[in-house]
Amino acid sequence: MMSFLLFYSILLIILITLIIQFYLLYLLLLFISLISLIIQLLLFISLYSLVISPPLPLLSFLGILFIYLFFFFFFFFLSFFLSILSVAMALTPDQKYDIITRNLQEVLGEKELRAVLAERDLRLYWGTAPTGKPHIGYFVPMTKIADFLEAGVHVKILLADLHAFLDNLKAPLDLVHHRVQYYEAMIKTVLRSLGVSIEKLTFVVGSSFELSPKYSMDALRLASCVTEHDAKKAGAEVVKQVESPLLSGLLYPGMQALDEEYLEVDCQFGGVDQRKIFVFAEKYLPHLGYKKRSHLMNPMVPGLAGAKMSSSDPDSKIDFLDSPKDVQKKIKKAFCEEGNITENGLLSFVKSVYFPLKSLNGQKAQFVAVRPEQYGGDMVFDSYEALEKAFAEKQVHPGDLKAGVIAAINGLLEPVRKAFEDPAMSALAALAYPPPVAPVKVKKEKKKQSKPVVQETETPKETVTEENKA
């Protein structure tokens, strides 16, 4: 009888500790909680076997109870200590703001951002229209998304399929669906290759809410108060400019502004080329009774030819799936004047992409300018500033910088290429960007030139008359 009373008493204690385990799990101290839980279950099994066995000695129960209580209190106080430590190590609002805004070119609405961070974590969205193939310029927003997640920001990535269609028909509707899937797969692959956890990211397709009656009504309300001049000006650096623009290009900025309200975010993130649309949103959203949002802007990565890197210009960019030979060919053709640090797309890539990427997760970034042994061998730089100074002083030859950039880019792209060797990923890429159909050449039949027929003019025969005879 005594053994059963002890058994049920200890069972009650185990059940109470299980409730505490749930609290530990709630604190996300998963590893410690699971270890403690396993020990409790082992104790339960041992107690049960002892009760079933013939007369159970009291000292055995007390010994097992003592061991159980020792482990329980040890793990409980360890968990409690770690929870206090985690609170102490939590980022302050100022620290979060510094991480969110580092390496950005401009911030609109700093005061509003700090006010939100003082109360809770930030909610933000970054949008991309699935038009041309994503290129290495996308490494810049990927780096910032990693920063946002580190600062506890709730990030939404908008795959703006309708925007892609509206932007001067860059993407036909029959391809947009496949390109949306391709962009999502590519973004996830790139983030994983950088060691960024994507569990806290939310992907949203634009047409999932932009075709709703309420959104459509708001778009019409916005159209009733926006001037043609403001709409055209807002999209000047984003919407493709042509001699005879379509009306769809004027709808683009208004929809991007409305997305801030419908995605329920505190701010929008994008390239500095989006600035006019951001100012447009700050001006017109209050006209509809919606609050003004903050805006974060990263610098644009110059293209290999000098202008910004663009999906629509294959000579200005390097795609994520370009082969090593393609990378080498494009970099060797890139403009890189000796000593020129102002108009140099390669230096801009190292500054805006390579060093920030290699500094993620507390890593130490290094760039290697690949130099032949007869000229002293490779040059290693621990900061971009040191590289820029050496190049400006002509200590680094353009050929050595290009060789280093080729090696750096191929190192970043290799895990992405490998992921897309999967048949399913390769098939998705082929659907999103089918190879161009070569025009069928119709052989023109040569017309045989016939020799001109010279028609002999017949001399009319003289009619013999009686007068001629005479």
Side-chain angles (χ1 to χ4, degrees):
M1 182 67 180
M2 182 67 177
S3 62
F4 279 101
L5 286 175
L6 284 171
F7 172 77
Y8 285 113
S9 299
I10 297 175
L11 177 60
L12 180 61
I13 295 174
I14 291 177
L15 291 175
I16 293 172
T17 57
L18 285 174
I19 296 173
I20 299 175
Q21 290 303 127
F22 285 110
Y23 177 69
L24 292 175
L25 291 171
Y26 173 75
L27 292 177
L28 300 180
L29 300 173
L30 304 178
F31 181 71
I32 297 174
S33 301
L34 289 175
I35 292 177
S36 182
L37 181 62
I38 291 170
I39 292 174
Q40 291 174 35
L41 292 175
L42 291 174
L43 286 169
F44 176 82
I45 294 170
S46 63
L47 286 175
Y48 182 79
S49 62
L50 286 172
V51 170
I52 295 301
S53 62
L56 180 68
L58 180 61
L59 289 176
S60 298
F61 265 119
L62 293 177
I64 292 174
L65 179 61
F66 174 78
I67 294 172
Y68 165 73
L69 291 175
F70 172 80
F71 277 105
F72 169 75
F73 283 110
F74 172 78
F75 283 111
F76 177 79
F77 285 113
L78 181 61
S79 302
F80 181 71
F81 171 75
L82 289 177
S83 64
I84 294 176
L85 186 63
S86 65
V87 171
M89 294 175 64
L91 296 172
T92 65
D94 287 340
Q95 290 173 326
K96 290 181 179 180
Y97 180 83
D98 290 341
I99 294 173
I100 290 169
T101 58
R102 67 185 175 193
N103 297 324
L104 291 179
Q105 183 165 326
E106 188 176 1
V107 176
L108 299 178
E110 175 184 347
K111 183 179 178 181
E112 290 79 4
L113 278 180
R114 291 187 180 276
V116 172
L117 288 171
E119 297 179 359
R120 57 172 173 80
D121 288 330
L122 200 65
R123 293 192 295 265
L124 169 148
Y125 102 84
W126 170 68
T128 180
T131 52
K133 291 182 179 180
H135 50 74
I136 59 173
Y138 277 69
F139 273 128
V140 176
M142 297 300 104
T143 307
K144 284 310 304 173
I145 287 172
D147 286 342
F148 298 150
L149 294 173
E150 181 185 344
V153 178
H154 302 284
V155 180
K156 291 183 180 179
I157 295 180
L158 174 66
L159 301 169
D161 53 345
L162 295 186
H163 292 76
F165 174 68
L166 288 174
D167 189 3
N168 209 51
L169 301 179
K170 279 186 180 177
L173 278 175
D174 57 344
L175 289 179
V176 166
H177 175 69
H178 299 303
R179 291 184 179 179
V180 164
Q181 297 178 42
Y182 178 83
Y183 264 61
E184 181 174 349
M186 179 59 76
I187 290 169
K188 288 179 177 179
T189 301
V190 171
L191 288 172
R192 288 194 189 102
S193 74
L194 302 177
V196 179
S197 175
I198 63 172
E199 280 70 26
K200 294 183 180 179
L201 283 178
T202 303
F203 287 84
V204 182
V205 179
S207 57
S208 65
F209 65 90
E210 290 169 348
L211 296 177
S212 67
K214 188 174 186 300
Y215 188 99
S216 299
M217 190 64 222
D218 273 345
L220 293 176
R221 288 172 61 207
L222 192 61
S224 69
C225 59
V226 174
T227 65
E228 182 267 346
H229 171 269
D230 284 359
K232 189 174 182 179
K233 179 182 176 182
E237 294 187 35
V238 178
V239 180
K240 188 174 181 180
Q241 301 299 301
V242 293
E243 185 177 347
S244 181
L246 299 174
L247 180 61
S248 58
L250 300 178
L251 301 176
Y252 192 111
M255 292 179 65
Q256 186 167 335
L258 282 176
D259 291 341
E260 296 179 352
E261 173 65 25
Y262 281 79
L263 290 172
E264 300 177 339
V265 295
D266 304 302
C267 65
Q268 183 180 172
F269 165 64
V272 73
D273 61 336
Q274 305 270 336
R275 192 183 193 282
K276 291 179 180 178
I277 290 183
F278 292 163
V279 173
F280 174 92
E282 291 185 7
K283 176 181 178 180
Y284 281 105
L285 276 186
H287 283 58
L288 302 183
Y290 300 137
K291 69 177 182 178
K292 182 175 73 172
R293 268 68 176 188
S294 301
H295 297 94
L296 310 176
M297 285 163 276
N298 63 260
M300 302 302 296
V301 179
L304 303 178
K308 77 173 184 178
M309 199 169 286
S310 171
S311 296
S312 58
D313 184 3
D315 293 329
S316 74
K317 66 188 179 83
I318 293 175
D319 292 334
F320 282 120
L321 299 182
D322 275 352
S323 68
K325 287 185 178 180
D326 290 336
V327 172
Q328 184 176 19
K329 181 180 177 182
K330 290 182 179 181
I331 295 298
K332 283 189 173 182
K333 288 170 60 179
F335 175 76
C336 185
E337 183 182 25
E338 187 176 16
N340 186 344
I341 61 174
T342 56
E343 298 176 0
N344 194 318
L346 301 185
L347 282 178
S348 296
F349 170 82
V350 177
K351 178 183 179 180
S352 302
V353 177
Y354 188 76
F355 270 100
L357 282 179
K358 289 300 181 179
S359 300
L360 289 175
N361 304 319
Q363 299 179 84
K364 184 180 178 182
Q366 284 187 332
F367 177 79
V368 179
V370 182
R371 186 171 59 178
E373 287 296 332
Q374 64 263 35
Y375 299 113
D378 295 345
M379 301 178 70
V380 181
F381 298 93
D382 294 328
S383 68
Y384 170 75
E385 290 73 20
L387 171 64
E388 184 184 84
K389 182 181 178 183
F391 191 83
E393 295 174 354
K394 300 185 179 181
Q395 296 175 12
V396 178
H397 189 270
D400 303 336
L401 176 62
K402 287 185 175 183
V405 170
I406 290 170
I409 290 176
N410 280 324
L412 293 173
L413 296 185
E414 187 54 35
V416 181
R417 295 189 193 112
K418 191 172 182 180
F420 272 79
E421 289 175 0
D422 179 85
M425 300 286 262
S426 299
L428 177 59
L431 286 172
Y433 299 96
V437 180
V440 180
K441 294 183 179 180
V442 180
K443 291 184 179 181
K444 295 182 179 179
E445 293 183 0
K446 294 182 180 180
K447 295 181 179 179
K448 294 182 180 180
Q449 295 182 353
S450 55
K451 294 181 180 180
V453 179
V454 179
Q455 295 182 353
E456 297 181 357
T457 54
E458 295 182 359
T459 305
K461 295 179 179 180
E462 293 183 2
T463 308
V464 180
T465 59
E466 293 293 331
E467 294 179 1
N468 291 340
K469 286 180 179 180

